[in-house]
């Protein structure tokens, strides 16, 4: 198991390039199951979740090979319809294969994704949407078993809103399935996330007829078949937001390229109020912009409520909490998408943050400084928040269990080191986690199990 050792207090200087979006690429890879023709996706980050998705595709008769930053996927065998627990449990996005298999093969058996560290994550709305398209769904031995009587889904009007707003992967699932349905589907209360608009762009390039993606009402006119496509995945807005916070929390002046500012307006609005300036240097391409980011001397407290897009993203809540621990006064953060997603709170407190949680709200009282400590990464974005806090803290922080972070940020330590951060990856497998501070730091570039 790897850990990060971070020596805080360094100013960062230079340029960070944002990689392609993990959350856009995952349902796009699943879309390869909708056709026998080849699909090429470009700027796909090299992450554990992406690898797991290619493993899942292989189990389902679709080979997916990496070539540099691209993945080429092609379905060869349609006989397999079972997405097994051992892969689906590793990543919730495994559920994205359900709609495509059902639409193309007429039946599917997909393991129920388990619970996860950020709270209860049901899939009832996915299933309701697919049932509205004509699927008969039952639960057997922890698997979702779905059949389409007659073999082909039929278009319908589907409402995908839930108690916490629309569902992102549910919209991806139903939209993908509806591309091959007989007739027209209207998704009402669809998720408006940029990852949904990008998925629709890919599906349309494959021959689908989707309009309105990126708005709450999406219309899909079903077609008989889909074909080949070559598509570049949008940049990762959450990685970009994390980099903007990295500049702000270390009081640095950084350049961030391939930055999807247009997808980050709520986060940039909060940054400006906090006293962090994001200057777009090439406004002609607001989805792949170059930004200069720098902060004022003292940071102002703000109120943040996470919301579905275009509101403030839940996936940046932990990173902004880390930033606000150093603001001048009291900030209030309310989590409206995943009310339990606060595992970073006790860890940040170990570093000297003053946080008071009540239900889905945390009051962050700014402190003068954070101090390094051994902490535990618990989920992907919580880990990113801890890295940010560690970059600003006085002294050394050890972040254990960074495999969570590796699910969503490619080689983060190398990239941060490239702009001046003092951060190393160490292998803690030989020693207990409590002993991690004692172990030797592996030289940069040496493989984990050398
Ligand atoms: N929900 C239901 N029923 C459903 C589906 C969702 O009640 O059938 C609830 C959820 O429990 C949650 C809310 O609706 O309270 C929104 O969940 P959503 O379905 O939109 O989440 P998701 O699609 O499973 C994606 C991202 C998450 C991101 C959320 C919200 C991927 C692979 N995952 O999850 O990303 O937090 O949307 O924006 O795209 C991450 O990258 O770290 C991550 C967790």
């Amino acid at each position: 198991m790897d850990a990060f050792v971070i020596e805080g207090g360094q100013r960062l200087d230079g340029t960070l390039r944002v990689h392609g979006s993990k959350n856009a690429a995952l349902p796009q890879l699943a879309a390869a199951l909708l056709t026998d023709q080849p699909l090429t996706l470009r700027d796909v980050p090299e992450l554990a979740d992406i690898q797991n998705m290619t493993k899942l595709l292989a189990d389902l008769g679709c080979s997916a090979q990496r070539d540099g930053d691209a993945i080429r996927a092609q379905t060869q065998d349609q006989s397999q319809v079972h997405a097994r627990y051992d892969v689906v449990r590793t990543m919730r996005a495994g559920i994205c294969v359900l709609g495509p298999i059902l639409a193309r093969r007429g039946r599917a058996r997909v393991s129920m994704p388990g619970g996860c560290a950020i709270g209860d994550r049901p899939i009832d709305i996915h299933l309701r949407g697919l049932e509205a398209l004509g699927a008969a769904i039952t639960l057997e031995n922890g698997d979702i078993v779905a059949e389409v009587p007659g073999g082909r889904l039929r278009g319908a009007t589907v409402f995908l809103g839930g108690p916490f707003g629309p569902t992102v992967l549910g919209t991806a699932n139903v939209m993908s399935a509806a591309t091959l349905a007989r007739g027209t589907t209207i998704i009402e209360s669809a998720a408006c996330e940029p990852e949904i608009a990008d998925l629709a762009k890919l599906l349309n390039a494959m021959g689908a007829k989707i309009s309105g993606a990126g708005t709450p009402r999406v219309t899909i006119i079903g077609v008989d078949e889909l074909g080949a496509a070559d598509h570049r995945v949008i940049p990762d807005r959450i990685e970009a937001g994390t980099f903007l916070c990295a500049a702000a929390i270390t009081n640095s002046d950084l350049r961030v390229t391939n930055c999807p500012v247009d997808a980050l307006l709520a986060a940039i609005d909060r940054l400006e109020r906090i006293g962090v300036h994001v200057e777009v240097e090439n406004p002609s391409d607001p989805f792949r912009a170059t930004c200069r980011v720098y902060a004022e001397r003292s940071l102002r407290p703000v109120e943040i409520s996470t919301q579905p897009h275009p509101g403030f993203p839940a996936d940046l809540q932990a990173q902004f909490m880390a930033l606000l621990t150093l603001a001048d006064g009291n900030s209030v953060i309310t989590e409206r998408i995943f009310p339990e997603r606060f595992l970073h709170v006790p860890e940040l407190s170990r570093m000297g943050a003053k946080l008071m949680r009540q239900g889905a709200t945390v009051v962050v009282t700014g402190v003068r400084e954070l101090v390094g400590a051994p902490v535990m990464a618990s989920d992907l974005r919580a880990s990113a928040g801890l890295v940010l806090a560690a970059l600003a803290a006085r002294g050394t922080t050890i972040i254990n269990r960074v495999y969570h972070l590796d699910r969503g940020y490619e080689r983060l330590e190398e990239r941060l080191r490239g702009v001046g951060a003092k951060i190393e990856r160490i292998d803690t497998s030989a020693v207990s986690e409590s002993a991690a501070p004692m172990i030797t730091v592996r030289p940069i570039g040496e493989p984990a199990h050398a």
Side-chain angles (χ1 to χ4, degrees), residues 333-391:
I333 298 181
T334 302
E335 177 54 74
R336 294 196 194 280
I337 309 285
F338 297 110
E340 297 299 322
R341 197 179 195 174
F342 286 119
L343 290 170
H344 42 288
V345 166
E347 304 304 307
L348 287 171
S349 303
R350 287 171 57 74
M351 300 178 69
K354 268 183 93 178
L355 306 169
M356 197 197 61
R357 178 181 169 196
Q358 217 154 62
T361 295
V362 173
V363 176
V364 184
T365 301
V367 292
R368 283 179 68 83
E369 65 170 10
L370 295 171
V371 284
V375 292
M376 189 74 76
S378 52
D379 70 82
L380 168 52
R381 308 303 172 187
S383 320
L386 295 179
V387 170
L388 295 177
L391 290 174

Side-chain angles (χ1 to χ4, degrees), residues 22-24 26-27 49 91-96 116 118-128 160 162-171 191 193 195 236-238 307-309 313-315 336-339 341 379-381 407-408:
K22 161 184 87 81
N23 287 351
L26 288 168
D49 276 13
M91 116 205 103
R92 186 179 160 80
I95 192 67
C96 290
C116 83
I118 65 175
D120 195 20
R121 294 177 76 184
I123 53 158
D124 54 310
I125 307 172
H126 298 232
L127 302 187
R128 218 169 57 209
L160 288 189
F164 300 99
T167 155
V168 180
L169 293 180
T171 302
E193 269 66 6
E195 293 77 19
D236 193 318
R237 62 194 167 101
I238 305 303
Q307 284 164 9
H309 191 76
D315 290 344
R336 294 196 194 280
I337 309 285
F338 297 110
R341 197 179 195 174
D379 70 82
L380 168 52
R381 308 303 172 187
R407 288 186 45 224

Side-chain angles (χ1 to χ4, degrees), residues 7 28 45 68 70-71 90 97 100 118 152 220 259 265 279 323 336 344 347 383 440 448:
E7 195 67 49
Q28 291 180 16
I71 291 188
T90 62
V97 300
I118 65 175
R152 187 166 179 190
I220 305 122
C259 182
L265 296 179
E279 289 175 6
L323 178 60
R336 294 196 194 280
H344 42 288
E347 304 304 307
S383 320
T440 321

Side-chain angles (χ1 to χ4, degrees), residues 29 32-33 37-39 53-66 71-77 105:
L29 283 166
L33 296 165
Q37 301 298 310
L39 204 65
M53 180 58 93
T54 59
K55 241 187 254 166
L56 185 54
L57 292 183
D59 285 353
L60 294 166
C62 174
S63 79
Q65 309 291 342
R66 182 172 277 280
I71 291 188
R72 190 168 186 275
Q74 186 162 17
T75 298
Q76 278 114 3
D77 171 13
R105 303 178 187 183

